Structures are given as structure tokens and as C-alpha cells.
Amino acid sequence: MHTLNPGIPTAITGQRNRRIDLMRGIAVLLVLFHHFCIAYPLGHSWLATLLTPEGVRAVARNGNYGVTIFFVISGFLITRNALARWGDLSNLNVRVFYAYRFARIIPCLLLLLVLVNGLALTGISIFTTHIPGLSPLVAMIRANIAALTFSMNMFIAHYGWANYALGVLWSLSVEEVFYLTFPIIALLLRRQSLILMFWSLIALIGPFYRMAHQDDESGFLFAYFASFDGIAIGCMAAVLASRLSVNSSILRYLQPVTIIGMVSLYLYRSIGGTNIWGVTAMALGAAILLVGSVHHANGPVVSRFRLLRGVEWTGRLSYELYLFHLIILGLLRTVLPASTIAATGAERLGLLGVFLAGSFLIASLISRYFAEPLNRKLRKVLAKPRPRTLPKRAAL
């Protein structure tokens, strides 16, 4: 692929990859279920009679692996879209790249801060930033600075989960710091082989960094270098998918084996006991599925089953769901504390339904009426090609 002008991206089809949306949907549902079960454990509910208490815990405890899948998908799509727009990473337009990232990320981030700060100022304790020795206002300012400077993971490492609803921004901090360097590395190294070598080094650092921080949960789960390997693996998968032609019969057998391996790893033990190489393995599994998705973007399997279409729709809202679901859960915890909801029976399952419905509602409204319109408008304005200035003609 080539571009007539490396400074102006080529046209990219608006068709979504249904398999990737399905993967996103599964990942975000795992995160939502994980967070709900922290607030309202389901180990003694009716669900436990179906899955057993240990089965419920096995599904609920490893939501962070859902975030790992998100990281791989993000790296894959950012790199694949860059290759589609500019043909080669060495042609990447830094201004346009950052404009597209800004348009997608910042509006929802600012809206989240407005909502959480507003709820905190009304006196709802769960949305207040709690830092010993600091007033709520000063603590709120520090949390907001961490959110806006993509350092929420460092904030959590220092203060703990001091703000309930803003804690999810640790993963956005990891992603955006990686993407701030993405075009710089591409333009400095230029050759695709050198860029791949750099990402391979980042991927290799990950498990050894986690190994060195096993006594610190924020170190092996939330730190930059504990998570960069998933994004780097996604970036490499996108480059390989653009260069390699994989036999469809190989993918037909490789992908089910990969899915079985990922599910087995997810259910085997808590991420606290498997993260060193488990995060890498989960990322590699997701990368294999993403490479396979290139050849089946319209998702024939997804089309056949209504449940999978629902998960695919969830995947389309994954960013908004991820950012705003703790607002819904925080409000539920305020109105209906876990101590007031019976641990047995169906009550907590009903509350899970309310939580999911509320999260889907707020995510779909924000996506349709706020995020997507602003995304389109900001991209048009910020990524607009600059007019070329012609040299002034010498006076006669």
C-alpha cells in the first residue's frame, strides 16, 4: 500500500471488524463482572448453585485479564490503522495521530471527571477522594491531575484506590503513555524491522518486571512496564498480519486451541499467582485471535447467534462502559449497601441485572450523543490538512 502524500492519510473503510468487537465485549463483561463481585460477592447466590462457589470465584477474580485483552486489541488497532492510513510507519503523521487519539480519548475522560467531581461535591462519600492527611478538595485536585497526566496507576501505587470511580483510569494511563511514544519510536527507528525489535524488547521486559514486583500488587498489575508488553504484542501482531498470509486451515485449528488455552489460564488460578507469564500468554493468545480476525472481519459465527451479537454490541460500547460503569456501581453501593442485600438467593443476581442495564444505558447515551459526535467533529478540525504556503514572489 502507498500514499500519494505521506502527510495525508488514505481513506479507510468505516466497516467494523465484528470479531474484534466480540473480543472487546467479552473483555469488558469480564471487567464488569469482576467489579460487581468485589462489591456484591455472588459465591452464595443462585449463580453458585449452577457454577459452584469456586466456579463463580474463578470467573470473577481475574477481570484484569480482560484489561490485558484490551491492551492487545488497542495495540493491534492503532498499528493496523496507522499502516492503513500511511502505508508505512515511517510515514506516520504525528499531528494527525495525536489528533485522532485526543478526539477519541479526551472528551469521555473530561466528562468522567465532571461527573465524578460533581457527585463528590454533593457529598456522596464513595466518589470522594480519600487521602489521609489531605482535605477532600486537595485530594480531589491530586486525583484529577493524575487522571489528566495519565499517571493514575502511579497515583494508585502511592495512595491506593483513593478514588473509587476514577481508579479505572490506571489502564488509560498505561495506554496513553505508550501511544505518546508510538509515533516518536516509529519516526526515529523508521525501519519496520527495528520497530519490531523495539516492541519485542518491551514485550520481553514485561514478565521480568512483574517477577521483580510480586510483593506489590500495584507493581505487577498497574505499573507501566507490567502492562506495556500486552500493547507491544498487539502492535507486533498488526505488523505481522499485514505482512504474512496465514493459511486459513491452520487458523481453523489454531484459534479453537488458543481459546481453550486462554479460558483454561483464566480459570486456573488467581492472576496474583499466574501474572508473571500469564499476562504474556493471555496477550499472545489474544494476538493470535486478532490475526485470525483479519480474514473473517464480518464475523460469520457472530451473525448466527443472537447472544454473540449482543456481546458484539457490548464491545462497540466498551470504552464508555469501562469508563462509566463504576459510577453506576458506586450509586448502587450507596443506595443499597452489600450488608442490606441477602448473600443467598436471587437478590444479588437481580442487582447484577440492574447494574448491567444501568451501565449499558449510560454508555450508549454517552456514545451516541456525546462521544461519537465530538469524536467526528474533533477529528475533522484537528486532523484537517494544513494549507501549503507558497514562497513569496520577489518584488519586481
Side-chain angles (χ1 to χ4, degrees), residues 303-345:
S303 304
R304 266 183 244 142
F305 301 98
R306 183 174 297 177
L307 176 61
L308 293 184
R309 292 199 299 272
V311 177
E312 176 202 1
W313 174 79
T314 301
R316 296 186 179 198
L317 295 173
S318 58
Y319 179 54
E320 290 80 7
L321 276 170
Y322 184 79
L323 283 194
F324 295 97
H325 74 278
L326 286 185
I327 290 180
I328 301 299
L329 191 53
L331 291 172
L332 285 178
R333 292 181 66 180
T334 301
V335 176
L336 297 169
S339 59
T340 66
I341 307 297
T344 58

Side-chain angles (χ1 to χ4, degrees), residues 283-305:
L284 288 171
I288 291 171
L289 297 182
L290 288 168
V291 171
S293 75
V294 171
H295 303 279
H296 300 280
N298 60 352
V301 177
V302 179
S303 304
R304 266 183 244 142
F305 301 98

Side-chain angles (χ1 to χ4, degrees), residues 105-126:
I105 297 297
I106 299 303
C108 281
L109 172 60
L110 293 178
L111 179 61
L112 177 66
L113 293 178
V114 168
L115 292 177
V116 173
N117 291 334
L119 289 167
L121 291 173
T122 64
I124 303 177
S125 177
I126 198 167

Side-chain angles (χ1 to χ4, degrees), residues 390-396:
L390 298 175
K392 293 182 179 180
R393 298 178 65 182
L396 296 176

Side-chain angles (χ1 to χ4, degrees), residues 75-76 79 195-204 229-242 284 287 291:
F76 183 86
T79 307
I195 297 172
L196 285 172
M197 286 175 61
F198 175 82
W199 287 337
S200 298
L201 177 62
I202 295 297
L204 187 61
D229 56 336
I231 307 175
I233 288 170
C235 294
M236 289 188 287
V239 173
L240 294 175
S242 69
L284 288 171
V291 171

Side-chain angles (χ1 to χ4, degrees), residues 8-21:
I8 302 174
T10 55
I12 298 175
T13 176
Q15 184 179 7
R16 298 186 68 97
N17 186 309
R18 302 188 68 180
R19 282 200 178 188
I20 293 179
D21 280 334

Side-chain angles (χ1 to χ4, degrees), residues 119-201:
L119 289 167
L121 291 173
T122 64
I124 303 177
S125 177
I126 198 167
F127 297 108
T128 303
T129 304
H130 302 277
I131 299 178
L134 295 182
S135 69
L137 180 59
V138 173
M140 177 195 295
I141 292 172
R142 288 201 179 181
N144 279 262
I145 291 172
L148 293 171
T149 57
F150 304 121
S151 57
M152 184 57 73
N153 53 341
M154 297 173 64
F155 179 88
I156 291 173
H158 191 69
Y159 297 113
W161 208 277
N163 186 293
Y164 180 71
L166 295 183
V168 294
L169 294 178
W170 75 265
S171 62
L172 186 63
S173 298
V174 169
E175 283 198 38
E176 292 312 304
V177 167
F178 188 96
Y179 293 137
L180 283 172
T181 65
F182 183 96
I184 298 171
I185 297 300
L187 297 181
L188 282 178
L189 299 181
R190 299 192 67 81
R191 291 174 56 185
Q192 211 165 76
S193 58
L194 293 178
I195 297 172
L196 285 172
M197 286 175 61
F198 175 82
W199 287 337
S200 298
L201 177 62

